[in-house]
Amino acid sequence: MDLRAVLVDDEQLARDELGYLLGQLGGVEVIGQAGNGVEALSAIDRLQPDVVFLDVQMPGLTGFEVARRMLDTHNESHIIFVTAYDQHAIEAFEVNAVDYLLKPVEQARLELAVQRARRRIEVDRMDRAATAAIGGTSTAVQAGLNAQERAGLNAQQRAGLNAQLEKIIQLVAEKQGRRERLAIKVGERFLLVQADEIIYASLADDNIAVVTAQHMGTSNYRTLDELQARLDPDVFWRVHRSHLVNINKIKEIVPWFSRNYILRMKDPKSTEIPVSRTQTRRLREYLKL
């Protein structure tokens, strides 16, 4: 029997591509689509699909927020997350999913995910059939107790999954708040650079200078505080009131007066950036100096 599926993605082309791949695979009937989280919840509630292919990053409700609401309503549809996140980040996403698929979706990986969904759905159906087949008064009483035990276990599982989803939703929100690419003005042009390519940013003459290995430009952010808020705090350190550095782009740490340090950066000029007294302690602890 074909699996009944709903596809959820804010990009129509992504839904079309996934629908095409499922058609090539066979054994899956796409019964509905949704372009955002609100539409997804409505379609899932109305259609009760066997499986939901759920994009993670969407405007409004994210895929994880949709999954959380499905848990809250005891929806029995199985979830396969579809995401552009890398393999490392995906490990956390398996908390309430049959599987996950990385974009661009590969046919062989999609087939494996569908097989996993089919096996899980078959186990669920067998469990329900066995429960329905139980007869007799004493057996019915025992079945009721078993059902209560399963209900309690499911409630505990749902509570645990909800807590995990809450943490992941927060992480996704924080990640979405950060910029992976920034625009810097170089001459009369604006260039887009990857955040991890930035070596340092410094406040100079009421402008924020941003330096990469290939370019030196200025940022449209008004303050270093604003720029820092859009970057990964584990990577970009405010080592001085006027300087923000990428700790992965430090070439050398030079001891200075009064047990302070100067950072020699990996830009073409090997720029030297002072470390404030308050940040010196953090630097020592981090690098075991």
Side-chain angles (χ1 to χ4, degrees), residues 128-149:
R128 286 195 296 269
T131 301
I134 295 174
T137 304
S138 60
T139 308
V141 171
Q142 185 62 46
L145 292 173
N146 289 341
Q148 289 178 356
E149 290 173 359

Side-chain angles (χ1 to χ4, degrees), residues 109-180:
R109 190 67 184 81
L110 176 62
E111 183 175 5
L112 179 60
V114 169
Q115 288 174 353
R116 287 176 175 172
R118 194 180 299 279
R119 284 197 298 269
R120 186 174 293 189
I121 290 166
E122 287 174 354
V123 168
D124 286 352
R125 286 172 177 167
M126 290 172 62
D127 185 54
R128 286 195 296 269
T131 301
I134 295 174
T137 304
S138 60
T139 308
V141 171
Q142 185 62 46
L145 292 173
N146 289 341
Q148 289 178 356
E149 290 173 359
R150 282 197 300 272
L153 180 61
N154 288 339
Q156 291 175 355
Q157 289 174 330
R158 283 195 297 272
L161 290 172
N162 265 321
Q164 289 175 302
L165 280 171
E166 289 286 357
K167 291 180 181 178
I168 296 171
I169 289 165
Q170 183 177 357
L171 289 172
V172 171
E174 290 174 357
K175 188 176 181 70
Q176 288 177 330
R178 299 174 194 149
R179 294 294 180 91
E180 295 182 356

Side-chain angles (χ1 to χ4, degrees), residues 3 58 97 105 133 142 148 165 181 228 239:
L3 295 183
M58 295 184 293
V105 177
Q142 185 62 46
Q148 289 178 356
L165 280 171
R181 294 199 299 173
Q228 185 179 11
V239 296

Side-chain angles (χ1 to χ4, degrees), residues 5-10 15 18 34-41 44 51-58 61-71 77-85 90 93 96-97 99-103 165:
V6 166
L7 313 184
V8 183
D9 198 301
D10 61 317
R15 299 199 303 272
L18 183 56
N36 58 56
V38 175
E39 291 179 2
L41 289 170
I44 293 165
V51 62
V52 179
F53 290 86
L54 185 57
D55 186 28
V56 170
Q57 281 188 291
M58 295 184 293
L61 295 176
T62 67
F64 293 117
E65 290 169 319
V66 172
R68 181 181 60 186
R69 296 194 184 189
M70 290 172 65
L71 281 171
S77 299
H78 294 272
I79 298 170
I80 296 176
F81 285 122
V82 184
T83 174
Y85 280 85
I90 279 298
F93 295 176
N96 188 42
D99 205 345
Y100 62 87
L101 296 169
L102 290 176
K103 296 179 180 180
L165 280 171

Side-chain angles (χ1 to χ4, degrees), residues 9-279:
D9 198 301
D10 61 317
E11 297 181 5
Q12 180 67 53
L13 287 176
R15 299 199 303 272
D16 291 345
E17 175 67 14
L18 183 56
Y20 172 78
L21 292 174
L22 289 170
Q24 293 290 103
L25 185 63
V28 179
E29 179 189 1
V30 177
I31 59 173
Q33 298 188 19
N36 58 56
V38 175
E39 291 179 2
L41 289 170
S42 175
I44 293 165
D45 181 62
R46 185 178 71 258
L47 300 172
Q48 294 295 310
D50 298 312
V51 62
V52 179
F53 290 86
L54 185 57
D55 186 28
V56 170
Q57 281 188 291
M58 295 184 293
L61 295 176
T62 67
F64 293 117
E65 290 169 319
V66 172
R68 181 181 60 186
R69 296 194 184 189
M70 290 172 65
L71 281 171
D72 289 342
T73 58
H74 302 178
N75 188 285
E76 295 184 355
S77 299
H78 294 272
I79 298 170
I80 296 176
F81 285 122
V82 184
T83 174
Y85 280 85
D86 61 24
Q87 183 80 16
H88 179 71
I90 279 298
E91 292 175 3
F93 295 176
E94 296 183 78
V95 291
N96 188 42
V98 172
D99 205 345
Y100 62 87
L101 296 169
L102 290 176
K103 296 179 180 180
V105 177
E106 297 178 357
Q107 184 80 37
R109 190 67 184 81
L110 176 62
E111 183 175 5
L112 179 60
V114 169
Q115 288 174 353
R116 287 176 175 172
R118 194 180 299 279
R119 284 197 298 269
R120 186 174 293 189
I121 290 166
E122 287 174 354
V123 168
D124 286 352
R125 286 172 177 167
M126 290 172 62
D127 185 54
R128 286 195 296 269
T131 301
I134 295 174
T137 304
S138 60
T139 308
V141 171
Q142 185 62 46
L145 292 173
N146 289 341
Q148 289 178 356
E149 290 173 359
R150 282 197 300 272
L153 180 61
N154 288 339
Q156 291 175 355
Q157 289 174 330
R158 283 195 297 272
L161 290 172
N162 265 321
Q164 289 175 302
L165 280 171
E166 289 286 357
K167 291 180 181 178
I168 296 171
I169 289 165
Q170 183 177 357
L171 289 172
V172 171
E174 290 174 357
K175 188 176 181 70
Q176 288 177 330
R178 299 174 194 149
R179 294 294 180 91
E180 295 182 356
R181 294 199 299 173
L182 294 174
I184 62 172
K185 188 176 182 181
V186 180
E188 298 301 317
R189 300 179 302 159
F190 282 94
L191 302 178
L192 287 176
V193 299
Q194 295 292 328
D196 58 8
E197 293 177 0
I198 296 172
I199 297 173
Y200 69 90
S202 296
L203 186 62
D205 300 327
D206 295 327
N207 289 317
I208 298 175
V210 178
V211 176
T212 71
Q214 288 80 32
H215 305 288
M216 180 173 181
T218 57
S219 169
N220 277 343
Y221 287 103
R222 295 174 298 174
T223 67
L224 273 179
D225 287 335
E226 289 183 2
L227 176 59
Q228 185 179 11
R230 294 300 184 184
L231 297 171
D232 189 339
D234 293 329
V235 175
F236 289 89
W237 283 15
R238 187 75 170 271
V239 296
H240 187 278
R241 181 176 58 185
S242 301
H243 303 285
L244 183 66
V245 304
N246 181 339
I247 62 171
N248 296 321
K249 303 292 186 180
I250 299 172
K251 179 166 64 177
E252 188 178 357
I253 300 171
V254 182
W256 204 240
F257 296 109
S258 302
R259 300 188 67 200
N260 289 338
Y261 296 95
I262 283 180
L263 305 179
R264 193 164 287 149
M265 306 305 294
K266 289 184 178 180
D267 61 306
K269 295 181 179 180
S270 295
T271 301
E272 294 183 345
I273 292 178
V275 181
S276 70
R277 184 172 299 177
T278 55
Q279 290 300 316

